[in-house]
Every structure is written in C-alpha cells, then in structure tokens.
Amino acid sequence: IEKIDSFNLLVASSASLVFVTDVKTNPLAAVWERSVRQFFDEIETACGLNDQKVQSLDYFSWPIAGSANMSLGEGQLIQLLAGFMRQRIVGDKKGVILFGDNAKQYGASVVSGINNMQVIAAPSLGVMFTSVAAKAALWKDLQALHVGKG
C-alpha cells in the first residue's frame, strides 16, 4: 500500500455551501480561523445564497489518530473522509468549494457522487489570500452557483 503523507483538512459548512480546505495545523490559530471564517462568509454573501454565517468548522486529519501503525490506503482514506463529510453535507447545499491539493485530490471523489452538487476546485487559501487572479478565477466559478440557485 502506498503511504499517504499526513495532512489536515478544515471542513466548514454554511446553509448553502461546504468549504473544504487544506490547513497546516489542526486546529488553526484563532486569528487564522477568524480570517478563514470571514472569507467563507464573504463568499456566501457574494453569491447571494443567504445571509447565514458559516455554522461549523470541523477538522479532518490524516492519518486518523491511533491508526499510524496500521497500513491504511487511499481506499480507506476516501471511505473515512466520505463518512466525515457526509455528516456535514446535509440539507439543501448548492455546492462544495475545494481549496488546495489534498482537498481537491481526496474531497472531489467524495462529493462527486452527490446529486446536484456543484464542485468548484480552487488554489489553497494561502494563494487565495494573496493572488488577485486566483480570486477572480474563483469568482467566475462562483457565478455558476449564483445563476444556478432556485
């Protein structure tokens, strides 16, 4: 079984969207968590989906605590992540936005099978916070969510 490097994901859920992003630490420092929450709230507001703020921030770490000595492969990782994310993708979600390489690699396969769920892949939050071009590309992708509502 191919060894999968350790990583952390932050999964944030709002009334209409689910955000999945690579993070370096679990949990994020409070100042970073506030910035991330604000960024996600701004996306939600900009899409005109609703005015509710992000309701939950949850962390997924790989390998799972206590499983370091077990030889878990990508199949088990996808299953565990699917169970973790499906608990957070409830209600009438319009889309999932994946930020960063691990979010895209593992999160996309989890959410691709969910009916009517639009999936948007974006660069990492570090890139999003520093690159106007990345924000512009994300905004263009978000237009599809805005148009598709209703």
Side-chain angles (χ1 to χ4, degrees):
I1 291 179
E2 186 180 325
K3 181 169 177 0
I4 300 169
D5 292 333
S6 63
F7 66 89
N8 297 297
L9 295 176
L10 169 65
V11 179
S13 183
S14 70
S16 304
L17 298 171
V18 176
F19 305 92
V20 183
T21 183
D22 292 11
V23 290
K24 286 188 172 68
T25 59
N26 170 7
L28 287 174
V31 65
W32 287 112
E33 194 170 279
R34 274 194 303 277
S35 294
V36 168
R37 189 182 286 267
Q38 180 180 355
F39 181 63
F40 293 161
D41 287 344
E42 288 168 1
I43 290 172
E44 183 92 16
T45 302
C47 288
L49 293 169
N50 65 53
D51 293 329
Q52 290 189 329
K53 301 292 186 210
V54 167
Q55 293 135 350
S56 66
L57 295 179
D58 299 295
Y59 293 90
F60 177 89
S61 292
W62 183 264
I64 302 294
S67 71
N69 296 331
M70 297 165 54
S71 56
L72 297 174
E74 190 168 325
Q76 288 92 342
L77 164 59
I78 299 292
Q79 280 185 312
L80 290 165
L81 184 58
F84 178 83
M85 286 178 59
R86 287 205 178 103
Q87 294 171 7
R88 286 142 187 92
I89 303 175
V90 292
D92 186 26
K93 301 289 190 245
K94 301 291 184 203
V96 176
I97 306 172
L98 306 170
F99 294 98
D101 294 338
N102 290 313
K104 285 186 264 197
Q105 182 174 350
Y106 303 115
S109 59
V110 169
V111 296
S112 61
I114 299 175
N115 293 348
N116 302 324
M117 183 73 69
Q118 289 188 283
V119 180
I120 296 172
S124 68
L125 286 184
V127 172
M128 294 303 302
F129 287 166
T130 58
S131 167
V132 173
K135 284 183 186 165
L138 175 62
W139 180 246
K140 191 167 187 277
D141 290 340
L142 289 171
Q143 298 300 305
L145 284 178
H146 189 73
V147 170
K149 73 173 186 170

